Amino acid sequence: MKRRIIMKKSLSVFLCLLLTVGASFANGSKDAASAKFSKDPDFANGKFGTTRSITVEVFDRSNDGGTNPENNFYTDYIKAGMLKEHNVKVTFKRVPRWTEPDAMNNLLAAGTAPDLCLTYSMPTINTYAQMGGVLDIAPYLDTYKSDLSNLYNTVGDLNINFARDPVKNVVYAISAVRYVNARTATFVREDWLKKLNIAEPTNSAEFEAMLVAFKDNASTLLGKDAAKMIPFSMGVDVGWEGGLILDQFIPNAISDKDWWINGFCDRHTLQPGIKEGVRLLNKWYNLGLIWKDFPLYPVGDKTAANNAKAGYVGAFIGNWDGPYRDGDNGIVGGLHKVVGPDANYIAVDTFKNDAGIYRKYQSSPLDRFLFLPSTNKQPLASMMYLDFISKPEVRKFLQIGEEGVTHITQANGAIKAKAAKAPKIMNSSNNIDLTMTINGLDVGDPSLNALSLALGYAGVDPKYIQKSYLLQKVGARYDPIFTVGTVASESGQGPQFQVKRDTLLAQAVVSKPVDFDATWDNGMKAILASGVQKIIDERAALYEKYYGAKK
Amino acid sequence: MITSKESKIGDRFLIVFCFLVIVVCFVPILHIAARSLSSMESLIRNDVMLLPIGFNIDAYKYVLADGKFTWALFWTAILTIIGTGVSLTMTTMAAYPLTFDHLKGRKFFNTVIIFTMYFNAGTIPMYLLLKDLSMLDKPVVLIVPYCLSVFNMIIMRSFLNSIPDSMRESAEIDGAGPIRVLISIYLPLSTPVLATLALFYAVGRWNGFSDALMYVNNRHYYPIQLLLYNLIMATSNIDVVQQEGGSLPGLSESLKAAAIMFATIPILCVYPFLQKYFIAGATLGAEKG
Amino acid sequence: MPKKKQDLGKYLSRYWTLYLLLFLPVLYFFIFKYIPMTYIQIAFKKYSIIKNVWTMPWADNHGMEYFIQAFSNRDFIFALRNTVMLNFLDLVVGFPAPILLALLLNELKFKNLKKFTQTVAYMPHFLSWIIISGLALQLFAPNTGMINGLINRMGFPSVPFMNEPVHWVVTYVLMGIWQSVGWNTIIYLAAIAGISPELYEAAAIDGAGRIRRMWHVTLPGIRPTIVVLLILNLGRILGSEFDRPFVLGNPLVKDVCNVISVFVYNSGIRGLQFSLTTAVGLFQSVVCVIFLFIADFLAKRFGERGIV
């Protein structure tokens, strides 16, 4: 009994001690204060009186043979320029590209995030903003507009104001501009078409016939590897790698309004008509035309790409320049090595919608989102940085580098990229990690841009790039942007929803045809019930509120 | 008397069984080793099984030449050695006093310590604590926060308890204080458990990467598994693939395999090295009788 | 009273070094285990990245907002069910496995074979799950996997190791065993090494065959170790490792492969909902403690020395 009392006493003393110490620990870290806007008297004609210091986020891709992302030939160029033109000292802070969301969380939580950050995920910024972790840059964009002319000219008004809250007039992020607005394309094996004497398919029925032909002629095409034939390869991300097949069932007459209301899903899964597209995939899967094991391999797994490189795959859907990237290590590069120089993937337009158009639902010109964490003490200097790297001569240099070293100017003026080694190697293609405000090559002239683009792929005949790029413009329809501020019900939904969506699509495709309707309908119901219907409803309401009057 | 027939059948069964275990456990490592020595074409075609096809050591040459692998290996080795030393010391300092039945407050200490094994605050609170202690992004954060495992401490305590009190009592009669007793009597007899725990701690530190993932940003402090994770798992990162859509540059297949071998082989060699200390336990059993 | 104080004084002057030894470990636990517990209050608050833990605002519904969110989320309930089911199977099948292996290895006469097998047996433990998942797919894929290739050649239809829920669970548990059994035998082998050889001789003289010796000498000899490890593992019934279900899972078996850790990863961490994550973690820990005390009580009932 006495022992018990002693135990109890010592435990309670312990707990009191714990709470006191705990409280004192926490008091050590202060709440981050958010700066209030006021015009900076030290700033005139784009320059600061006293030298300011900022840190800028840069991705670390850990690529083979790459240079230190924080300290290399190109960062030196930027640092020198910033010091000279704006009297701002720049330090780069590296963030691992692959674990970027985790790293960003850590940095923000620790209060050590760089002054200028970028991310692909707007919901992330919104969530941080709701917690008070992001600075409102509307005052800087408005007050200093004349000093930010390069920024405005490069990205355009739309990208600056797309996230401006119509009521509170706050801007938490601006967007870089996407110069090459292309998404996915359908690729087929050019050499197989020749061998079997088939013309490029121009509609869905011909495409299916082509796949059947691949399957039936497996021994002709692959010899002893006939069992490894994959007429159509797909990945577990069915919305992306089967996207064009699904999109053809979306009614052509769909309005921008409805498109946007259902637009939470970037794979278009919430749009009308998708179910029929999945039904078609289901039919093809059960006919043995689709890679049987596709749902087992996680996103990003190399097996599908390796199958393509090894020559087993007849057709697939992917990024418009996907097979042509990475030179020797890319799909076409591998194909040339394993199969031969005649083997190639060519982009084709095959899937017509109900109006007979090869519809491509392209993204809006929004690209990466740039924001300033609330720990930023030099917001104006940060904005000047964005202006500096949007300067045409600066970004052109960053994108193409030095003549003869990282590019060779062709007779017609087009730029052909050249792979360099350290110290002038570009850690990301066209130094996209450093050119924060632009994605896509811009040498100043649109026609030269197109020509240069085609030359940018090592080991690939430019005609393939050109064809794929041209097809991207055929029937293109771009995502509309409606500024409604934050959609509250979207917070926290992103990753959960993606998982559910991918699961539903995969399960529906592999199900037996008799089970298809039940699988799809039940799955869709569950998704909508888990909070997605709320998002759709909220979007509809917000649209009515801000755009309902205008038609 | 044991019938020789019975033991012969038993022996044969055991040998077959061992053979199966060896195959099942060794084959995967063999497969990865084969991949690391094969040509890229054969890997793309997925032809490699147990033997390398298109034998070449390019991948290893690359790994050894690339500073970041060799540095990470060296750094992880240092962390492991220091970490294991710290952990063993802490574990002994905690376990030994708790073997004294008459220790005042023993129940209190036991409860307080064991409770932490079942109720832990979670990753986020730990992260916030380390942030408040300014330990983030410093090497010490990879050694201290998880240096003492209650599980291992219980093992050590059980072991120490099994050493008969008579040995301790005779030393105490001779006037030795508890620490003298620890050093002169308990530690020499504890080589099996120290070796076992050293192995556990060493492997835990060598293979561990989730703490570094959360607490360290500076790439020079990455243990080798985290480096590996970044290079291999990275290209499967869901978010990145969706943003940059589908095809990412990654390590070539043979390089991946070579990196895995590079990170795994060193620690595989630790157990055979420690095995001789395990044998000491057998003699302890004899002494106990 | 004074006598007691005198006794205490004498005791401390003799054994003060023990407390000295304990000082550092206890400090460690205090700082790194108990202080973080004060941060658990996040589970009841609205997490804000820029606010201090003590100044964050309380969550709705008297702070229970996130618990309510978790339990009303159908996915979480499924994750809970899956976690218990998979852990239970791991326990039932995976707990005896290393014991069995240790017993069998112990019987081996050839020391070199025994050493070699031991060394090889723990090798899979060093492969991270990311690597293993790649291997698993190569082996078990229904159409392109090696094993099904062999099965097909023998004339049988493919076995859906990874794409049917029941098969997947079996594969999952077996892979868990494969990865950890060799490693877990280490403790048991060390314990077996501590059994006096005289006991074996005595049993042999009494006419006990091999199996009977195992049953009557070896097993009882390591019984304390088994009990301790069993108690420790029982408490983990709700715990959830992340790597194995995450990498072995795929959309076709979502109903069984989603466990709490994956749920937390998708909803909490990737979705930036830290309060939810902490709330779920708190729930898991509380259940762990309950199980610990139950298991410890049962052990003591059966005459073994518990761990509390």
Side-chain angles (χ1 to χ4, degrees), chain B residues 1-2 6-7 10-11 13-15 17-18 21-22 24-26 28-29 31-32 35 46 48-49 90 93-94 96-98 100-106 109-121 124-126 128-133 135 144-148 150-151 154-155 157-158 161 172 178-179 182 196 199-200 203 207 209 225 228-229 232-233 238-239 242 260 264 267-272 275 278-279 281-282 285-286 288-289, chain C residues 8 11 14-15 17-22 24-26 28-29 31-37 39-40 42 47 49 51 53 56 101 104-105 107-110 113-128 130-131 135 138 146 178 183 186-187 189-190 193-198 204-205 207-211 213 228-229 231-233 235-236 243 246-247 265 270 274 277-278 281-282 284-286 288-289 292-293 305-308:
Chain B
M1 287 300 290
I2 318 148
E6 181 191 72
S7 77
D11 277 346
F13 167 74
L14 283 171
I15 293 181
F17 180 75
C18 278
V21 167
I22 292 176
V24 165
C25 295
F26 195 58
I29 310 253
H31 174 76
I32 296 180
R35 286 177 77 95
N46 218 3
V48 179
M49 290 293 148
M90 290 286 271
M93 291 205 303
Y96 177 65
L98 292 177
F100 285 78
D101 280 338
H102 57 70
L103 185 77
K104 301 234 183 285
R106 183 168 146 264
F109 288 118
N110 265 335
T111 318
V112 160
I113 291 178
I114 309 262
F115 185 71
T116 66
M117 191 160 56
Y118 284 88
F119 193 90
N120 70 17
I124 301 210
M126 178 62 118
L128 291 173
L129 172 73
L130 294 174
K131 168 183 147 203
D132 284 342
L133 287 173
M135 278 176 73
V144 172
Y146 295 106
C147 69
L148 182 44
V150 180
F151 184 82
I154 293 179
I155 294 179
R157 191 188 62 181
S158 305
N161 268 326
E172 284 180 351
I179 296 197
L182 171 69
T196 313
L199 185 63
F200 286 174
V203 170
N207 274 352
F209 72 92
Q225 290 292 340
L228 218 58
Y229 176 82
I232 294 179
M233 184 59 179
I238 297 169
D239 299 314
Q242 283 179 341
I260 293 174
T264 313
I267 199 67
L268 280 178
C269 302
V270 173
Y271 179 76
Q275 238 187 347
F278 288 17
I279 310 299
K288 269 169 72 179
Chain C
L8 188 62
Y11 183 85
R14 192 164 169 207
Y15 291 112
T17 47
L18 289 180
Y19 292 96
L20 184 68
L21 284 176
L22 271 178
L24 215 54
V26 170
Y28 165 81
F29 283 110
I31 297 182
F32 291 102
K33 305 284 177 191
Y34 283 96
I35 303 258
M37 290 187 198
Y39 289 95
I40 290 181
I42 298 177
Y47 183 83
I49 218 162
K51 284 204 166 70
V53 173
M56 287 180 203
L101 184 59
L104 288 175
L105 280 178
E107 289 299 318
L108 207 59
K109 288 224 188 71
F110 309 99
L113 181 61
K114 177 177 172 190
K115 254 196 190 175
F116 185 68
T117 313
Q118 263 176 263
T119 313
V120 169
Y122 77 73
M123 276 187 183
H125 177 84
F126 293 94
L127 299 175
S128 67
I130 299 152
I131 300 168
L135 289 171
Q138 278 194 301
M146 235 167 61
W178 170 79
W183 183 252
I186 293 181
I187 295 189
L189 284 171
I195 300 177
S196 163
E198 293 172 357
I205 289 172
R210 209 174 218 161
I211 299 191
R213 271 178 300 158
V228 166
L229 287 177
I231 297 180
L232 294 176
N233 276 307
R236 296 214 180 112
D243 291 345
F246 185 68
V247 299
Y265 176 70
R270 285 179 68 206
F274 300 123
T277 315
T278 316
L282 180 58
Q284 281 178 294
S285 292
V286 167
C288 263
V289 170
L292 161 70
F293 279 107
R305 192 182 175 126
I307 45 180
V308 178

Side-chain angles (χ1 to χ4, degrees), chain A residues 382-401:
Chain A
S382 312
M383 299 305 294
M384 286 302 126
Y385 179 86
L386 289 177
D387 186 75
F388 176 75
I389 54 159
S390 307
K391 258 177 113 169
E393 46 291 10
V394 172
R395 53 181 171 82
K396 186 171 173 186
F397 176 75
L398 288 174
Q399 288 193 316
I400 63 178

Side-chain angles (χ1 to χ4, degrees), chain C residues 138-181:
Chain C
Q138 278 194 301
L139 283 176
F140 296 121
N143 296 289
T144 46
M146 235 167 61
I147 295 191
N148 273 319
L150 286 170
I151 293 181
N152 284 334
R153 237 175 281 172
M154 294 200 289
F156 299 104
S158 297
V159 180
F161 292 108
M162 300 198 64
N163 45 325
E164 289 283 321
V166 175
H167 291 89
W168 185 88
V169 171
V170 172
T171 313
Y172 174 88
V173 173
L174 287 178
M175 294 221 73
I177 295 180
W178 170 79
Q179 204 241 15
S180 59
V181 71

